[in-house]
Amino acid sequence: MNNSKLFHLTTVQKIGCWFILWSLLGLLQTFRLYYAYNVYNPNILTWQKSAIWAFNEWYLWGLLSLLVIKVVHIIQDKSLIIKISTFITGMIVMPALHLYLYSVVWLWTKNWYYAEIMTSYNSAYEIFIGSYLGKINDNSVAFIFIVVGVYAFNYYRQLFLEKTRIAELNRTLAETK
């Protein structure tokens, strides 16, 4: 795909790319979960259960990343202080929000893929508190990668638009000679 097509995708193509990105992350997480849980106690977690957990987690990040993108676009022209304070706030709020929403989804669907992993959570709050310290690092890293990805994409898009503008000016200049 050349550069010009990258910034002119249809809505369906954008959704498809989005779906593929978060699906690939879910697939990687599936392998990690399956092997992490089964390393000491074989067959404690099936591939299907690993996939449900992983895809729930990453599709939820995919939805939350839309909020991150919106905030980055809102603060794009703001001062560095506002950008840093927004990032720090996001580092606190977004991972916690993701974990809480994931806890709610896990609670709603736990009977679909119950696994003996020594948990007896009965409420989203218990799940959230019980897994906060274990998941906050992963969620913080996911948030950082989303923010960096948005800024990198915006930078690349601006660079492409600037090169396109310069090429158009050069073409106009050549035509006037």
Side-chain angles (χ1 to χ4, degrees):
M1 183 180 298
N2 69 25
N3 290 343
S4 63
K5 290 183 180 180
L6 178 64
F7 300 112
H8 302 292
L9 297 175
T10 67
T11 301
V12 171
Q13 290 171 324
K14 288 177 186 175
I15 292 170
C17 289
W18 206 248
F19 180 75
I20 290 169
L21 169 69
W22 298 107
S23 294
L24 287 173
L25 291 169
L27 186 61
L28 291 172
Q29 180 77 351
T30 298
F31 289 114
R32 188 184 77 80
L33 284 173
Y34 179 78
Y35 287 111
Y37 278 102
N38 290 321
V39 71
Y40 294 114
N41 190 353
N43 301 319
I44 195 170
L45 193 63
T46 65
W47 282 106
Q48 295 84 0
K49 292 174 186 178
S50 300
I52 290 170
W53 285 358
F55 281 84
N56 280 343
E57 182 170 354
W58 285 105
Y59 286 149
L60 186 54
W61 264 122
L63 291 174
L64 290 175
S65 69
L66 298 174
L67 177 60
V68 173
I69 290 168
K70 185 69 173 169
V71 170
V72 167
H73 286 299
I74 289 170
I75 66 168
Q76 184 172 341
D77 298 326
K78 305 294 183 196
S79 70
L80 184 60
I81 298 293
I82 291 175
K83 288 178 182 176
I84 291 172
S85 61
T86 303
F87 178 77
I88 291 170
T89 303
M91 279 289 295
I92 295 166
V93 172
M94 292 304 290
L97 177 61
H98 175 270
L99 183 57
Y100 185 77
L101 293 174
Y102 182 74
S103 300
V104 170
V105 170
W106 188 86
L107 187 65
W108 286 343
T109 60
K110 73 177 183 177
N111 292 330
W112 297 352
Y113 54 91
Y114 180 76
E116 290 292 332
I117 55 171
M118 298 183 297
T119 60
S120 59
Y121 301 130
N122 293 315
S123 71
Y125 176 77
E126 288 176 353
I127 299 166
F128 177 78
I129 296 301
S131 56
Y132 183 79
L133 292 177
K135 293 292 292 172
I136 198 66
N137 290 338
D138 292 346
N139 285 347
S140 295
V141 169
F143 173 76
I144 290 168
F145 276 117
I146 292 168
V147 171
V148 168
V150 171
Y151 274 106
F153 184 81
N154 287 345
Y155 174 79
Y156 186 67
R157 184 181 66 217
Q158 284 302 113
L159 184 65
F160 170 76
L161 293 174
E162 189 63 25
K163 284 183 178 182
T164 304
R165 188 181 71 77
I166 291 171
E168 186 63 34
L169 287 173
N170 286 336
R171 193 173 19 261
T172 303
L173 182 62
E175 289 173 359
T176 58
K177 288 185 178 180

